[in-house]
């Protein structure tokens, strides 16, 4: 974990490595190399975590997050390296553990797994899994993953994969235990499961008002308490879209066209209403889900989020392929050098007063 004070918060980046070659000419290979540049910059400016989501679509370059994170593991010093999420339902828990324990060794104890069911389903037909088993696959694979991290030798039997009879899984992680977070888009059952298991949780808040997630946070804490876990040790993160520039007006004008293009592409697949500037401006208001603006404004929104949800980690998702890469690097720089210090100073002030 970060060595910040308990009144503080971890702040980092999450990304799906958007790369739409037909739209902007950026190849998957270029986007992958850009990611390594981003991770190194994030480490240099003092951010706590960089997290890559697993996707299997032409418009993302991130089908193998652990490999990308490993490319930056030996050139960074302190930043934690995580998936966001690993689609555990359609992967083998043995291979997931091995990939991230390898990353943990290369980074000397900075790897994390964020496990989820995934909001996209491309991996299921790709790897030969039945979507009818969407939930049971996740539950079973999570159970096995936690068994593997708990014990070097594993004996396990489930319904979807071959049984394991007293076999070792190597290499072992440097961290004991290797951190496993549960990623969720707001499913109550996911919050309850994470609480019962005592695992840290990440809520993806991409629309509406973040404060509306408070009941889910309470459900998570109540479930953890009933299961005998120390509620004060629970970790709660959010993943929220955003973009930072020198002025709020510049940030909004740069980020809107790219955001609208992305939202309307996915929206056509899922039957959403067209994304408009009014929708965008409402979402970047103080109580909205978009963290778009100058450093002071984004910091104010993060402090409010901490007040409403009690988060211990904030992940800014700032990956839009139609933006110039130097603008994304500038956001990372401002998040580390401007936003994070403002947020921590304010939280420390509140802790001293409180």
């Amino acid at each position: 974990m970060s060595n910040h004070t308990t009144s503080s918060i971890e702040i980092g980046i999450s990304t799906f490595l958007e790369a739409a070659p037909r739209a902007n000419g950026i190849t998957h290979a270029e986007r992958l190399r850009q990611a390594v540049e981003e991770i190194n910059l994030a480490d240099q400016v003092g951010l706590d975590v960089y997290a890559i989501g697993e996707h299997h679509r032409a418009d993302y370059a991130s089908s193998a997050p652990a490999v990308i994170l490993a490319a930056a593991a030996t050139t960074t010093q302190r930043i934690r390296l995580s998936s966001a999420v690993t689609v555990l339902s359609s992967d083998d828990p043995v291979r997931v553990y091995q990939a991230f324990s390898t990353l943990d060794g290369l980074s000397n104890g900075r790897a994390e797994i964020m496990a989820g069911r995934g909001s996209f389903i491309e991996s299921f037909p790709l790897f030969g899994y039945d979507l009818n088993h969407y939930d049971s696959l996740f539950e079973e694979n999570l159970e096995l993953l936690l068994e593997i991290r708990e014990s070097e030798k594993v004996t396990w039997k489930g319904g979807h994969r071959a049984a394991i009879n007293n076999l070792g899984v190597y290499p072992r992680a440097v961290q004991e235990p290797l951190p496993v977070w549960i990623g969720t888009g707001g499913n109550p059952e996911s919050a309850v499961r994470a609480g019962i298991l005592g695992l840290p949780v990440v809520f993806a808040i991409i629309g509406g008002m973040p404060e509306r997630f408070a009941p889910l946070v309470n459900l998570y804490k109540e479930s953890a308490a009933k299961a005998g876990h120390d509620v004060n040790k629970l970790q709660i993160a959010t993943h929220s879209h955003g973009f930072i520039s020198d002025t709020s007006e510049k940030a909004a004008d740069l980020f809107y066209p790219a955001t609208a293009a992305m939202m309307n592409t996915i929206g056509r697949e899922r039957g959403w209403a067209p994304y408009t500037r009014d929708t965008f401006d409402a979402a970047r208001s103080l109580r909205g889900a978009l963290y778009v603006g100058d450093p002071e404004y984004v910091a104010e929104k993060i402090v409010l989020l901490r007040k409403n949800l009690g988060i211990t980690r904030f992940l800014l998702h700032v990956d839009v392929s139609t933006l110039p890469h130097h603008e994304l690097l500038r956001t990372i720089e401002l998040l580390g050098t401007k936003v994070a210090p403002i947020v921590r100073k304010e939280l420390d002030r509140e802790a001293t007063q409180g």
Side-chain angles (χ1 to χ4, degrees):
M1 288 302 298
S2 162
N3 53 15
H4 297 300
T5 62
T6 52
S7 64
S8 202
I9 189 173
E10 291 185 314
I11 294 177
I13 293 290
S14 57
T15 178
F16 297 160
L17 297 188
E18 198 181 340
R22 288 185 293 273
N24 62 7
I26 298 228
T27 65
H28 291 146
E30 286 173 294
R31 190 69 193 93
L32 291 168
R33 292 192 294 271
Q34 287 178 353
V36 177
E37 184 182 359
E38 290 164 25
I39 299 168
N40 279 290
L41 176 62
D43 187 53
Q44 289 160 19
V45 299
L47 290 174
D48 296 292
V49 59
Y50 187 100
I52 301 176
E54 175 194 340
H55 285 277
H56 301 272
R57 296 165 55 101
D59 41 355
Y60 301 112
S62 56
S63 63
V67 180
I68 308 162
L69 295 166
T74 58
T75 56
T76 51
Q77 300 301 316
R78 146 180 199 286
I79 196 164
R80 300 192 65 76
L81 305 166
S82 178
S83 56
V85 299
T86 294
V87 185
L88 195 56
S89 313
S90 58
D91 209 340
D92 188 309
V94 174
R95 292 301 279 158
V96 169
Y97 180 86
Q98 289 173 330
F100 282 87
S101 63
T102 299
L103 173 63
D104 206 42
L106 289 168
S107 65
N108 194 25
R110 291 184 282 126
E112 297 183 1
I113 299 168
M114 190 191 298
R117 285 175 289 193
S119 62
F120 292 82
I121 58 171
E122 286 81 8
S123 61
F124 285 81
L126 188 62
F127 297 119
Y129 290 98
D130 188 341
L131 266 174
N132 291 322
H133 300 151
Y134 184 81
D135 292 316
S136 61
L137 276 165
F138 180 75
E139 289 167 15
E140 187 173 292
N141 286 354
L142 179 61
E143 178 189 296
L144 177 53
L145 179 63
L146 296 177
E147 287 271 344
I148 293 166
R149 81 165 184 167
E150 187 69 26
S151 175
E152 181 178 325
K153 291 286 181 76
V154 178
T155 297
W156 182 89
K157 187 175 182 181
H160 293 292
R161 82 177 302 287
I164 301 173
N165 185 20
N166 195 34
L167 297 176
V169 179
Y170 306 102
R172 302 307 296 174
V174 174
Q175 298 174 89
E176 294 183 4
L178 178 67
V180 174
W181 293 65
I182 299 295
T184 173
N187 183 306
E189 288 78 17
S190 296
V192 170
R193 180 191 291 113
I196 290 170
L197 294 170
L199 296 174
V201 69
V202 185
F203 294 103
I205 305 179
I206 59 173
M209 289 189 289
E211 64 201 58
R212 290 182 178 161
F213 275 69
L216 284 173
V217 171
N218 292 335
L219 191 60
Y220 166 64
K221 290 181 175 179
E222 288 164 9
S223 303
K226 284 178 186 171
H229 301 291
D230 184 348
V231 175
N232 294 317
K233 291 183 178 177
L234 296 176
Q235 296 175 66
I236 302 163
T238 56
H239 146 108
S240 306
H241 289 182
F243 180 73
I244 308 162
S245 195
D246 299 299
T247 68
S248 286
E249 186 180 20
K250 181 182 177 185
D253 289 345
L254 277 171
F255 198 59
Y256 169 68
T259 301
M262 175 189 67
M263 294 296 282
N264 285 326
T265 296
I266 298 172
R268 280 190 292 273
E269 297 173 14
R270 301 190 181 185
W272 297 346
Y275 194 82
T276 66
R277 181 65 191 243
D278 285 346
T279 308
F280 175 81
D281 286 338
R284 68 185 182 94
S285 66
L286 192 59
R287 293 169 66 193
L290 272 183
Y291 291 72
V292 176
D294 61 33
E296 292 75 18
Y297 183 63
V298 171
E300 183 182 3
K301 289 192 60 148
I302 296 172
V303 169
L304 180 63
L305 186 68
R306 162 76 167 222
K307 182 179 178 182
N308 288 333
L309 300 184
I311 60 168
T312 59
R313 175 182 283 185
F314 174 82
L315 295 173
L316 185 73
H317 184 93
V318 64
D319 185 33
V320 180
S321 65
T322 48
L323 280 173
H325 190 239
H326 68 85
E327 296 289 359
L328 200 155
L329 293 174
R330 180 66 174 152
T331 285
I332 292 172
E333 180 187 353
L334 289 171
L335 186 65
T337 61
K338 302 285 188 188
V339 176
I342 294 170
V343 171
R344 294 195 175 113
K345 186 176 180 182
E346 178 61 23
L347 295 180
D348 288 342
R349 186 186 67 79
E350 290 178 2
T352 302
Q353 290 179 346

